[in-house]
């Protein structure tokens, strides 16, 4: 596997960073995950825009222009084997003596990128749907920043794994649903697709935007608004989206069936439209 670190491409075994890197010491950095289909980065402009939003959120200057990122990303994709890949981009505030405050003057940020093969959900999973659990959203109030400090998300996801489920759906203030530990969540009630608003309490998902665009373009009734916890438990369907999982049906919640317990009609429609959209955008010659 060829990775990129601070200006150089190299085998992952050769990549080394200092133990004083602020990413290692403080989790002081941000990241992106970008899917690549047929060697083309999906929604690259949108991912780079979200990266800028995250960097602004932690007051770290962007080390590259969008043009430079695009060149580096294309080269990383070319140097790795899979046709479909997922890219991980990671920027930290760099290496400095341990002090919570920013290094002054600023030091060079650490820039790391790697690629892994992108394996989308197997047919059996699309057919059965996945199990989720719910838990209180105990994260900070800037969940719109794609921060590398992911300990709450790690612990919340592990709760799902320990319960034999794939994801934890997060409930803020015992009142409304925000998102999953590493995904966005949609609710379907009475044929209408409901999505929580992109505020400071959730990551503005790139897949989330695609799903809403597809719904709008295909006449699927939808609404963006706060979703109460009771609506989650009364849902006819629940959907999970992310760059690596695309669109999945959630068919069990806290051990009970969601709706009929099978992937529903809105999921089937959106999943097909999502695949069509990908094919049209990415595989068109
Ligand atoms: N996670 N919410 C959270 C907290 C996430 O970590 C992610 C993605 C999403 C979905 O965003 P997108 O559709 O842009 O992937 C929502 C990535 C895949 C990860 O951390 O690996």
């Amino acid at each position: 596997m060829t990775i990129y670190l601070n200006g150089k491409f190299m085998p992952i075994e050769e990549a080394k960073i200092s133990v004083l890197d602020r990413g290692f010491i403080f989790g002081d950095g941000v990241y992106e995950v970008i899917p690549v289909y047929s060697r083309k980065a999906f929604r690259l402009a949108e991912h780079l825009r979200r990266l800028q939003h995250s960097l602004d959120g932690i007051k770290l200057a962007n080390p590259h222009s969008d043009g430079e990122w695009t060149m580096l990303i294309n080269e990383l994709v070319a140097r790795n084997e899979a046709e479909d890949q997922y890219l991980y981009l990671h920027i930290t505030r760099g290496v400095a003596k341990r002090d919570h405050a920013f290094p002054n003057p600023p030091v060079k940020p650490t820039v790391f990128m790697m690629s892994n093969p992108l394996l989308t959900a197997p047919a059996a999973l699309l057919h059965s749907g996945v199990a989720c659990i719910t838990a209180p959203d105990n994260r900070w109030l800037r969940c719109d920043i794609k921060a590398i400090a992911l300990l709450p998300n790690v612990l919340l996801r592990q709760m799902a794994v320990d319960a034999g489920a794939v994801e934890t759906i997060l409930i803020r203030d015992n009142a409304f649903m925000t998102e999953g530990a590493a995904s966005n969540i949609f609710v379907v009630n009475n044929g209408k697709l409901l999505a929580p608003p992109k505020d400071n309490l959730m990551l503005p998902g790139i897949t989330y935007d695609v799903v809403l665009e597809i719904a709008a373009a295909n006449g699927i009734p939808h609404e963006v608004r706060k979703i109460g916890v009771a609506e989650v438990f009364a849902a006819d369907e629940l959907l999970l989206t992310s760059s690596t999982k695309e669109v999945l049906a959630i068919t069990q919640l806290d051990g009970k069936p969601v709706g009929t317990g099978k992937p529903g009609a809105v999921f089937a429609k959106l999943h097909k439209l999502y695949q069509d959209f990908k094919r049209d955008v990415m595989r068109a010659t």
Side-chain angles (χ1 to χ4, degrees):
M1 192 210 287
T2 299
I3 65 98
Y4 172 89
L5 181 63
N6 295 333
K8 293 198 193 86
F9 290 91
M10 64 188 83
I12 191 156
E13 297 76 23
E14 288 174 20
K16 300 271 184 298
I17 59 155
S18 166
V19 290
L20 285 179
D21 193 282
R22 289 179 63 94
F24 184 61
I25 297 284
F26 293 118
D28 184 1
V30 296
Y31 77 108
E32 267 300 319
V33 172
I34 308 176
V36 170
Y37 298 109
S38 304
R39 299 196 165 275
K40 217 171 145 209
F42 185 65
R43 294 245 149 167
L44 182 56
E46 288 81 356
H47 280 281
L48 291 178
R49 201 175 309 137
R50 186 172 66 184
L51 176 63
Q52 185 65 56
H53 174 82
S54 296
L55 288 166
D56 291 345
I58 69 161
K59 300 183 166 62
L60 181 58
N62 195 331
H64 294 299
S65 66
D66 282 4
E68 287 166 354
W69 279 119
T70 303
M71 270 164 48
L72 292 171
I73 284 168
N74 287 342
E75 182 157 357
L76 183 68
V77 170
R79 284 173 183 253
N80 283 279
E81 270 169 27
E83 286 294 296
D84 293 352
Q85 307 178 13
Y86 82 87
L87 306 181
Y88 176 82
L89 276 66
H90 172 122
I91 302 148
T92 80
R93 206 178 307 275
V95 178
K97 187 169 161 290
R98 186 178 181 277
D99 179 348
H100 288 62
F102 298 172
N104 189 13
V107 294
K108 258 169 87 97
T110 300
V111 180
F112 168 55
M113 293 197 289
M114 66 176 162
S115 167
N116 281 284
L118 177 64
L119 304 170
T120 44
L125 205 63
L126 295 175
H127 193 73
S128 65
V130 298
C132 289
I133 60 167
T134 56
D137 192 343
N138 56 9
R139 301 173 302 162
W140 67 336
L141 299 177
R142 288 306 308 274
C143 296
D144 56 310
I145 298 173
K146 205 161 169 55
I148 60 169
L150 284 173
L151 189 53
N153 307 63
V154 165
L155 295 174
L156 289 162
R157 170 61 71 84
Q158 187 59 34
M159 279 172 68
V161 172
D162 290 344
V166 309
E167 181 61 302
T168 303
I169 298 180
L170 307 177
I171 308 295
R172 186 67 82 162
D173 299 336
N174 217 2
F176 57 93
M177 189 268 292
T178 52
E179 59 178 340
S183 57
N184 291 115
I185 306 291
F186 291 81
V187 170
V188 179
N189 269 340
N190 302 319
K192 192 187 243 186
L193 183 69
L194 301 176
K198 289 198 286 186
D199 57 15
N200 61 312
L201 299 179
M202 70 170 239
L203 186 79
I206 306 296
T207 322
Y208 163 106
D209 280 343
V210 174
V211 165
L212 284 179
E213 278 173 38
I214 288 175
N218 292 277
I220 298 173
H222 59 281
E223 192 180 344
V224 176
R225 62 161 170 82
K226 283 224 178 290
I227 299 172
V229 61
E231 293 181 284
V232 177
F233 287 106
D236 298 326
E237 295 182 46
L238 293 174
L239 310 181
L240 175 161
T241 67
S242 82
S243 291
T244 46
K245 294 203 157 75
E246 299 186 339
V247 186
L248 288 178
I250 298 165
T251 45
Q252 252 196 49
L253 189 63
D254 291 340
K256 300 194 187 76
V258 176
T260 63
K262 299 232 161 57
V266 175
F267 164 74
K269 213 163 167 181
L270 279 173
H271 185 264
K272 181 182 179 305
L273 289 166
Y274 193 87
Q275 299 306 317
D276 291 349
F277 179 85
K278 243 168 65 179
R279 198 182 48 240
D280 291 350
V281 175
M282 311 307 298
R283 304 192 201 271
T285 48

